[in-house]
Amino acid sequence: MRSRHIRPRGRRRRAAAALGIATLIASSVTLAGQVAYAAPEAVAAPVPAELGTAPEPPAVPGSLLPDGRFVEDASGWTSQRGGTLALSDDAASGAHSLSVTNRENTQSGPFADVQGKLELGATYRMTGKLKYDEGAAAQQFNFTFCPSNFNGCVDYGNSFTKGRWGTFTREFTAEDRHVAASWFFVETPWGSSALQDFKVDELSLVKIADAPEAPAYTNLESVQTKPIGDHNPLVGHKFGADPHHLIYNGRLYIYSTDDTQQYEANSKDANGLPTQPNGYGAITRLNVMSTSDMVNWVDHGSVPIAREGGAAPWARNSWAPAAIEKDGKVYLYFCDSGTGTAVVVGGSPLGPWTDPVGKKIIPDTVSPEYIANGGFPAGMWLFDPEVFIDDDGQGYLYFGGNSVIGTSPNQQGPQNPKSTRVAKLEDDMVTLAGDPVEIDAPGIFEASSMFKHDGRYYYSYSSNFQVTPEPGKYPERGAIAYMMTDDPMDLSSAKYAGVAFQNPAVHFGAGNGGNNHSDMFTFKGETYLTYHAQTRGAAWAAALGTPGATQGYRSVHIDKLEFNEDGTIKPVQGTRAGVDQVESFDPYRTFEAETLAWQLGISTEQADAPSVEFPEHNGGGNMLLADVNDGDFAAVAGVDFGDGAKTVSTRVKPLVEGASVQVRLDDVDGQVVAEIPVDGTLGEWTTVEAPVTGATGEHDVFFVFAGADGAAADADLLEVDNWAFAADDALAFTVEVLDRCLAGKQIMQTVRVVNEDDVAATFVVESAFGRRELGAVDPGAARSAAINTRHSQVDAGSLTVTATATVDGEQVEVQRDIPTEAASCG
């Protein structure tokens, strides 16, 4: 019997040139100004008669703000909402700073007129220094741009330490909101009670890069959001956030928050570029995709969770999934916005799903006594679940978040908010085994995750944007920090170990700031970090001339995670290259067309027929390629053809006459080894095939779609369900399945096999309704077998045809999975 050996891949694929409330309030750049008010008459800043004359720093060339050094006066700086501006001799440099006193609200800082000064798409650097002497030990101040009605402001927050001058600097690319701004001003966060006096100095705003030239693109479908050769983001055709892993039947599954659903609900410009920030309120689905090699990802679509039609219709939203397998069942936890955590249970990674409780397990099933006794302080978000099963079978649930919780005088945060909890689970994985226990994670914000490696437990989380960093004690802002412990419930602040991954903005630049959410796991002997970044949105924005305008829609990434000798984590670098392919891709089988390393232009849609490749999914999660236009492509990486492929076939639905699929090697313009004519009745599913020439060894494979000459460029050509290659030494045969009604009551499946090889072969047909042996069939001959389903109605499915023959003294066996259509005698 011949067998195939799949070689491990050790080389890196070539590179091409070319975001809850985890979801919700986590960004250091947030929208503000939810109320409108009229701006009263400006108040000029008085100038003291006598102040010192220390040397001043040089003026900042090109600053768009009035002189922020305050050398002799405060010309151009006004107070628009009360408060008093005056020069002070307590300066960061030079003789003077600008003092703000008598504040009555959180928008009574110094204002500067910026109307008409910012250019769409240009990049700016904003800098300043600030000092305050009253109030909390650490305090956030916002550097804000607002329109005249103060609706739709843009805040850039920075934490300062009481009693000393602190520095703020931020680079940003101007969006519509910046261009529409009338005012720049400095304030404490809107609506807070922080009304202390403060001083500012060395304020400047300069353009550091012009807006790019007019874009070459006119629509988003033509933007290569995942460049060929890169392995991040995992997929380029949809958004996803808050990723979490599941290992099932030797495959890695990644679940994520379906940001695409919010993108579809929000406003967009004529090209499809989002004009409205994410928001998360429309998200009721969770994405699912899987891989066996870390590079080629099968899009399994989404799990409907909340509202009508979902597995938990009582829920409003589904964010931040966490999944785990136990005794063959998949437990999928999610948060219903910030109000609680729930779970649905599936018979496979794609369901079918049931709701075992019918309500949230956090907090609805937590004892009222626990809540009444202060177990969940005011402001604690009961979201971002993490599930973990230890080696002894004990399950744990982690959840919670926010940077400041509780009420005065017992308010906590942002250094040690103590806003997350852990609880043991009963064996049913849906019932708490005792009250939740407090976690004291320094600088915690959200995104709990638990991981065990070499006997140690690693609790990781996203830090908040107000924490004051301190090496070895408190993390940087918006980072993935972690703790190391010998007990998964012992998570005191002393267990803090450092930062594993900085905010995505550090790695990917403008437009990638905001919240951070990750998961650590081991798969096939390697350890990884999966996280999200706004790289797909950044590619759109850059291509259409508005770089940085990502609007908070996120994409899933994976990068390698490594450890030091003492068990601490080496800081993970976020990359577009991603990780190595860990095994070659086997083409000699039926595999899903929605298996993607790269793509352009296409989308995926739910298929009616179950997956041939994944029968363990119980009929769920099969997708197909759709929205296929001329020049679009789908690509698979690291395909091992061995000694050579003989044929390629595909199950397609033609939508226009004359379309074809070119099979190319290594690039979209690479060598053509096959051209498949898309023949058949329009609108009907059929299987088409073509010979393959020159496909040997290992290559990236591009399926490039082409329309007939003269066809409209935007015409949808076809839909594609799956692909299959046959090896050069394989047996060639075709299979046809016909359904008919027996006595008008029972469906009979007739399977006809044609031996198209030059040797005789023996054929066996197996389906869910029986097994038939066709016996030996000569070259060029055909033979049929009938299988009585004994049902008047059958769903779409598949059957297997096995051919066996002797070739050059060796026995060869080929199995082929054949899709079958739904049928009814009714």
Side-chain angles (χ1 to χ4, degrees):
M1 189 75 68
R2 295 184 183 181
S3 63
R4 294 187 46 74
H5 175 65
I6 306 300
R7 301 194 304 274
R9 288 173 57 82
R11 64 185 176 90
R12 181 175 292 278
R13 304 300 304 161
R14 59 186 169 79
L19 224 166
I21 313 170
T23 25
L24 184 59
I25 309 177
S27 175
S28 62
V29 181
T30 58
L31 286 177
Q34 299 302 310
V35 296
Y37 53 84
E41 185 177 351
V43 179
V47 182
E50 294 183 2
L51 287 171
T53 56
E56 296 289 344
V60 178
S63 178
L64 302 177
L65 300 179
D67 191 346
R69 299 172 302 156
F70 308 106
V71 177
E72 296 179 350
D73 56 32
S75 297
W77 294 94
T78 61
S79 176
Q80 293 291 320
R81 296 200 64 208
T84 301
L85 305 184
L87 294 189
S88 168
D89 58 3
D90 181 0
S93 63
H96 310 143
S97 66
L98 182 64
S99 172
V100 187
T101 60
N102 301 320
R103 300 177 62 228
E104 299 177 358
N105 53 68
T106 53
Q107 289 181 339
S108 53
F111 278 63
D113 185 355
V114 293
Q115 187 169 9
K117 294 184 178 181
L118 276 70
E119 174 190 355
L120 183 67
T123 303
Y124 296 85
R125 180 184 295 120
M126 176 171 46
T127 59
K129 293 184 178 180
L130 185 146
K131 180 182 177 183
Y132 73 99
D133 296 310
E134 300 173 350
Q139 175 64 50
Q140 179 178 333
F141 287 81
N142 289 342
F143 296 74
T144 299
F145 294 91
C146 271
S148 58
N149 64 3
F150 290 86
N151 283 323
C153 302
V154 187
D155 292 335
Y156 293 94
N158 195 75
S159 183
F160 294 86
T161 301
K162 183 168 67 174
R164 64 186 188 211
W165 284 97
T167 299
F168 170 79
T169 184
R170 180 66 55 87
E171 294 182 4
F172 64 92
T173 300
E175 306 172 18
D176 289 333
R177 294 175 297 164
H178 298 90
V179 175
S182 296
W183 299 108
F184 165 83
F185 56 97
V186 184
E187 59 171 9
T188 46
W190 180 85
S192 73
S193 59
L195 298 177
Q196 64 265 59
D197 299 343
F198 65 91
K199 294 175 279 289
V200 293
D201 204 354
E202 297 185 38
L203 296 174
S204 66
L205 174 65
V206 297
K207 183 167 73 172
I208 59 175
D210 291 332
E213 295 181 2
Y217 297 92
T218 58
N219 65 81
L220 299 182
E221 288 188 355
S222 59
V223 179
Q224 188 70 58
T225 56
K226 182 182 180 181
I228 296 169
D230 285 356
H231 297 155
N232 278 329
L234 302 189
V235 295
H237 66 288
K238 64 196 310 183
F239 294 109
D242 314 318
H244 193 281
H245 85 286
L246 170 74
I247 297 173
Y248 187 93
N249 281 2
R251 289 186 68 83
L252 171 65
Y253 291 78
I254 297 291
Y255 295 85
S256 63
T257 305
D258 189 357
D259 276 15
T260 298
Q261 191 174 12
Q262 188 70 48
Y263 164 76
E264 292 169 345
N266 282 358
S267 61
K268 294 166 279 290
D269 66 16
N271 294 320
L273 197 69
T275 58
Q276 187 175 355
N278 192 326
Y280 319 106
I283 300 175
T284 63
R285 307 183 305 225
L286 298 173
N287 290 334
V288 198
M289 54 185 166
S290 76
T291 186
S292 63
D293 61 23
M294 300 303 298
V295 168
N296 295 298
W297 290 90
V298 180
D299 179 4
H300 299 295
S302 60
V303 180
I305 295 289
R307 305 184 198 175
E308 184 178 359
W314 50 266
R316 178 182 176 184
N317 294 116
S318 58
W319 304 341
I324 203 161
E325 183 271 336
K326 182 178 181 181
D327 299 331
K329 294 181 180 179
V330 175
Y331 295 83
L332 181 57
Y333 301 79
F334 66 95
C335 57
D336 183 7
S337 62
T339 66
T341 290
V343 60
V344 294
V345 184
S348 80
L350 275 301
W353 302 97
T354 59
D355 179 0
V357 180
K359 58 183 177 179
K360 289 170 279 194
I361 59 175
I362 304 291
D364 289 2
T365 63
V366 178
S367 68
E369 292 78 11
Y370 175 85
I371 299 173
N373 290 333
F376 298 136
M380 179 178 167
W381 299 328
L382 306 178
F383 74 164
D384 279 13
E386 164 66 315
V387 61
F388 169 71
I389 299 178
D390 207 350
D391 298 335
D392 61 2
Q394 176 63 58
Y396 299 84
L397 182 66
Y398 301 79
F399 62 93
N402 208 344
S403 58
V404 179
I405 64 171
T407 55
S408 180
N410 298 314
Q411 195 174 73
Q412 300 172 149
Q415 298 298 102
N416 291 84
K418 301 179 183 179
S419 60
T420 55
R421 302 288 186 269
V422 55
K424 287 185 176 182
L425 292 170
E426 299 284 4
D427 286 343
D428 63 6
M429 298 298 291
V430 301
T431 305
L432 301 190
D435 284 339
V437 173
E438 183 180 87
I439 297 171
D440 186 5
I444 182 73
F445 192 52
E446 58 189 6
S448 293
S449 180
M450 175 56 75
F451 167 65
K452 191 173 185 180
H453 177 76
D454 283 351
R456 294 186 176 97
Y457 302 90
Y458 293 78
Y459 173 76
S460 61
Y461 57 94
S462 176
S463 61
N464 63 65
F465 292 90
Q466 294 78 45
V467 64
T468 299
E470 184 178 333
K473 191 173 181 180
Y474 293 102
E476 290 87 345
R477 299 180 183 116
I480 298 299
Y482 72 101
M483 306 164 78
M484 296 171 59
T485 181
D486 295 326
D487 182 338
M489 295 189 74
D490 179 13
L491 292 166
S492 62
S493 60
K495 305 299 182 181
Y496 177 77
V499 169
F501 181 70
Q502 295 286 358
N503 190 268
V506 174
H507 305 281
F508 302 106
N512 278 279
N515 65 357
N516 209 347
H517 198 122
S518 71
D519 186 31
M520 301 177 184
F521 62 92
T522 296
F523 180 64
K524 295 191 174 180
E526 299 289 348
T527 308
Y528 301 96
L529 178 85
T530 182
Y531 59 95
H532 63 230
Q534 297 177 44
T535 44
R536 184 184 185 220
W540 277 358
L544 295 178
T546 56
T550 55
Q551 300 284 25
Y553 301 93
R554 302 153 297 180
S555 295
V556 178
H557 286 220
I558 291 179
D559 273 297
K560 191 77 172 293
L561 187 148
E562 297 178 315
F563 299 86
N564 297 305
E565 290 185 3
D566 63 357
T568 56
I569 295 173
K570 295 181 180 180
V572 177
Q573 299 301 308
T575 71
R576 287 184 169 85
V579 299
D580 289 336
Q581 189 168 345
V582 298
E583 63 185 23
S584 299
F585 188 89
D586 178 12
Y588 298 122
R589 58 194 175 90
T590 301
F591 60 94
E592 297 302 327
E594 63 276 13
T595 306
L596 301 169
W598 309 285
Q599 57 75 230
L600 182 67
I602 63 169
S603 66
T604 56
E605 293 182 0
Q606 187 73 41
D608 293 331
S611 167
V612 172
E613 186 178 2
F614 299 103
E616 66 270 26
H617 290 171
N618 298 320
N622 188 29
M623 305 289 286
L624 51 84
L625 300 186
D627 297 324
V628 179
N629 307 133
D630 183 73
D632 292 351
F633 68 82
V636 183
V639 179
D640 186 2
F641 289 110
D643 293 335
K646 183 176 184 178
T647 61
V648 59
S649 61
T650 178
R651 184 171 185 259
V652 298
K653 180 194 289 185
L655 300 178
V656 298
E657 298 283 358
S660 63
V661 184
Q662 297 171 347
V663 182
R664 294 176 176 264
L665 301 184
D666 299 320
D667 208 337
V668 67
D669 295 320
Q671 174 190 354
V672 178
V673 295
E675 186 159 2
I676 312 171
V678 183
D679 299 327
T681 304
L682 298 187
E684 299 291 336
W685 285 101
T686 186
T687 298
V688 292
E689 184 177 86
V692 177
T693 304
T696 61
E698 188 170 307
H699 299 272
D700 298 334
V701 175
F702 290 75
F703 299 97
V704 183
F705 303 100
D709 290 342
D714 60 351
D716 288 345
L717 305 179
L718 72 162
E719 295 176 352
V720 191
D721 188 7
N722 51 50
W723 312 103
F725 287 89
D728 196 29
D729 60 357
L731 301 171
F733 61 92
T734 60
V735 180
E736 183 181 18
V737 181
L738 300 174
D739 297 317
R740 65 185 180 89
C741 287
L742 185 65
K745 296 180 180 179
Q746 295 179 337
I747 296 172
M748 184 75 72
Q749 289 183 333
T750 300
V751 184
R752 183 174 184 267
V753 176
V754 179
N755 183 0
E756 296 185 338
D757 212 284
D758 54 6
V759 297
T762 299
F763 292 89
V764 176
V765 178
E766 294 178 277
S767 80
F769 307 108
R771 182 178 188 273
R772 297 290 185 271
E773 295 184 2
L774 279 68
V777 181
D778 291 333
R783 186 163 296 177
S784 300
I787 301 176
N788 191 343
T789 68
R790 303 188 184 282
H791 293 277
S792 62
Q793 182 172 327
V794 295
D795 295 331
S798 65
L799 53 80
T800 301
V801 176
T802 303
T804 306
T806 300
V807 180
D808 298 331
E810 253 188 284
Q811 190 175 22
V812 177
E813 180 181 282
V814 176
Q815 283 190 343
R816 188 176 298 173
D817 295 314
I818 309 299
T820 59
E821 304 291 343
S824 175
C825 289

